[in-house]
Amino acid sequence: MAEEDGMVTAIEFTKSGLPLTLAPTIVDTPNQVTKATITGHDTLLPIVHAHLRRAFNFLQCFFDVSIKVGSVEVSYALETGESEDDLPVPGMTIGEAEARPLAISYDFITRSLMAAETDEPPEFVASLAGLAREALNGRRFIDSFRYSFLLIEALFGRGKFKSRQLSDALQNSEELGEAIDYAVSEMAANRLRHPSETATLLKTAPGRSSIIDHLIERRGHYFHGNVKKTGAWSAARQEEAEGLAWFCIDVVIKLSSDAAASMFKPEYTLRHFEESRQNGASVKVRMNIFFREAEGDRLQRQNINLDMSGTKVTNRMAMDALREGIRLLQDDVPAARLHSIVGFDDQAKKRLFDVRMHIEPDDPKPSV
């Protein structure tokens, strides 16, 4: 992968041991308007395109991202003693690729590529989740709810459409129940700015059953209402569905992250770090942690070294390192009183962060 400021700008695939017949050739046509034509026989490009689409299905369960698989740079190189004449077209550019960095961490990209090799991509979930997020970002709350409910109904509705039968089907899903519990916990952040039936219901601490029945009732209103119906919905009154859309998007977030959970298989984690080291995409973060034990007055020091995937330390990586340093200290010395943590990028020889707990006195720090 190519990186810019810690973000991915390109994904590179390399294949060796292939016949020259896959490389483009030039066909001379002296008697035609076009005097020569480049013809290609590279059967690997469609395979790479399909692999990338599958990988991005995993990523789209978490992020609003897309990829132009038609914009590529292809190069061909001789591995053996063939003549350069056997490779008349050593490379080409197809389409116009914008060098816009992908603001997703390095490990997410590699994990998605690994998962796409063997696991079924969550294409359906990613598609509806993306539409629901897009509508929510555009403050089209009614459309966002519709897309969210379509996903819920498709995954757990068992083909039922009558309200009572659909309610029974949804309530029999523990996975949906867990997603509803997650959404309830997220709504405690009080993001809602407009009153609604959903906001009123959630203030009563309803159970799963009441919430499912409410979603089905709102489905009947927003899917089937029309201008001749008393109290019909209107696209001009999006705010009345704000709470409904936010609640359902949290349900969708949990469902889509579950659908892409295979990205985080332990074997992918090991492979990710091993291949990162092999390709030189590894940085070392060193932390000096100063602390006191529960009943102690003497300042002690613990040194922690972390190997992290990437070619340079980004803000997110530094935050992850700081979080891991605190966790390791708490595991090793559960009752420790933290004094400070200083983090360094060993390769760049520069300080990354300096966190100080001012409630601890600043007596001399140990030198080792």
Side-chain angles (χ1 to χ4, degrees), residues 11 16 26 48 64 87 95 102 124 132 165 247 262 277 345 368:
I11 300 173
S16 59
I26 298 177
V48 172
D64 290 320
L87 194 62
L102 194 59
F124 177 76
Q165 294 174 330
F247 180 83
S262 63
R277 283 192 290 266
D345 180 342
V368 294

Side-chain angles (χ1 to χ4, degrees), residues 285-314:
V285 175
R286 173 170 54 88
M287 286 176 286
N288 299 334
I289 303 180
F290 300 93
F291 66 96
R292 291 183 175 87
E293 294 190 8
E295 303 300 328
D297 294 325
R298 186 170 61 89
L299 203 58
Q300 299 186 50
R301 170 173 166 173
Q302 184 177 73
N303 297 331
I304 294 176
N305 296 298
L306 295 179
D307 287 329
M308 307 186 77
S309 296
T311 56
K312 63 185 297 185
V313 180
T314 63

Side-chain angles (χ1 to χ4, degrees), residues 8-299:
V8 175
T9 57
I11 300 173
E12 180 178 307
F13 287 80
T14 302
K15 190 73 172 175
S16 59
L18 300 173
L20 276 173
T21 53
L22 292 180
T25 58
I26 298 177
V27 178
D28 293 324
T29 52
N31 298 324
Q32 299 181 19
V33 175
T34 302
K35 301 305 179 183
T37 302
I38 297 176
T39 61
H41 308 282
D42 192 341
T43 57
L44 292 178
L45 272 179
I47 297 174
V48 172
H49 289 171
H51 190 169
L52 287 173
R53 287 193 181 95
R54 292 195 303 272
F56 269 69
N57 284 154
F58 286 96
L59 293 175
Q60 286 161 347
C61 285
F62 301 96
F63 310 103
D64 290 320
V65 294
S66 60
I67 186 171
K68 294 181 179 179
V69 295
S71 298
V72 297
E73 292 183 8
V74 188
S75 61
Y76 305 89
L78 298 172
E79 294 185 72
T80 56
E82 289 99 337
S83 167
E84 292 291 340
D85 294 337
D86 295 328
L87 194 62
V89 183
M92 64 177 66
T93 299
I94 304 173
E96 295 182 4
E98 287 185 72
R100 294 177 56 192
L102 194 59
I104 299 176
S105 64
Y106 180 79
D107 67 309
F108 257 84
I109 303 292
T110 55
R111 289 174 189 275
S112 69
L113 291 169
M114 292 174 192
E117 292 177 356
T118 56
D119 300 324
E120 185 68 25
E123 183 177 6
F124 177 76
V125 174
S127 175
L128 284 176
L131 290 170
R133 287 195 302 262
E134 180 185 0
L136 186 69
N137 291 336
R139 299 188 63 78
R140 293 183 289 111
F141 300 123
I142 295 172
D143 283 344
S144 181
F145 163 68
R146 284 168 158 173
Y147 290 127
S148 294
F149 194 88
L150 282 173
L151 177 59
I152 293 169
E153 187 177 30
L155 291 178
F156 311 110
R158 298 189 302 187
K160 308 299 181 182
F161 61 91
K162 291 185 177 181
S163 296
R164 187 68 264 157
Q165 294 174 330
L166 179 58
S167 177
D168 291 341
L170 298 184
Q171 292 185 38
N172 282 330
S173 170
E174 180 60 24
E175 183 180 354
L176 176 59
E178 291 175 358
I180 287 174
D181 293 343
Y182 169 81
V184 168
S185 67
E186 287 296 300
M187 293 303 286
N190 195 25
R191 291 176 297 193
L192 306 184
R193 290 176 292 180
H194 300 93
S196 65
E197 293 184 22
T198 304
T200 301
L201 174 66
L202 292 174
K203 289 179 181 178
T204 67
R208 292 177 180 179
S209 177
S210 296
I211 291 174
I212 287 172
D213 286 342
H214 172 70
L215 298 183
I216 292 173
E217 187 274 326
R218 292 289 83 191
R219 173 206 66 158
H221 179 65
Y222 286 118
F223 277 63
H224 307 303
N226 57 64
V227 294
K228 295 181 180 180
K229 176 184 174 183
T230 303
W233 63 269
S234 169
R237 298 196 305 272
Q238 294 288 332
E239 290 79 8
E240 69 182 25
E242 181 190 30
L244 183 65
W246 272 113
F247 180 83
C248 287
I249 205 69
D250 284 329
V251 172
V252 167
I253 286 172
K254 179 64 167 66
L255 295 177
S256 58
S257 62
D258 288 347
S262 63
M263 283 176 56
F264 304 97
K265 289 180 179 178
E267 55 265 37
Y268 293 159
T269 302
L270 295 173
R271 180 180 163 189
H272 165 68
F273 284 108
E274 181 59 32
E275 293 187 358
S276 295
R277 283 192 290 266
Q278 291 175 359
N279 291 299
S282 178
V283 294
K284 296 183 183 297
V285 175
R286 173 170 54 88
M287 286 176 286
N288 299 334
I289 303 180
F290 300 93
F291 66 96
R292 291 183 175 87
E293 294 190 8
E295 303 300 328
D297 294 325
R298 186 170 61 89
L299 203 58

Side-chain angles (χ1 to χ4, degrees), residues 337-353:
R337 306 197 318 265
L338 179 64
H339 174 277
S340 57
I341 301 180
V342 185
F344 302 89
D345 180 342
D346 259 8
Q347 283 133 310
K349 305 299 181 187
K350 66 179 181 181
R351 183 174 295 205
L352 297 173
F353 51 80

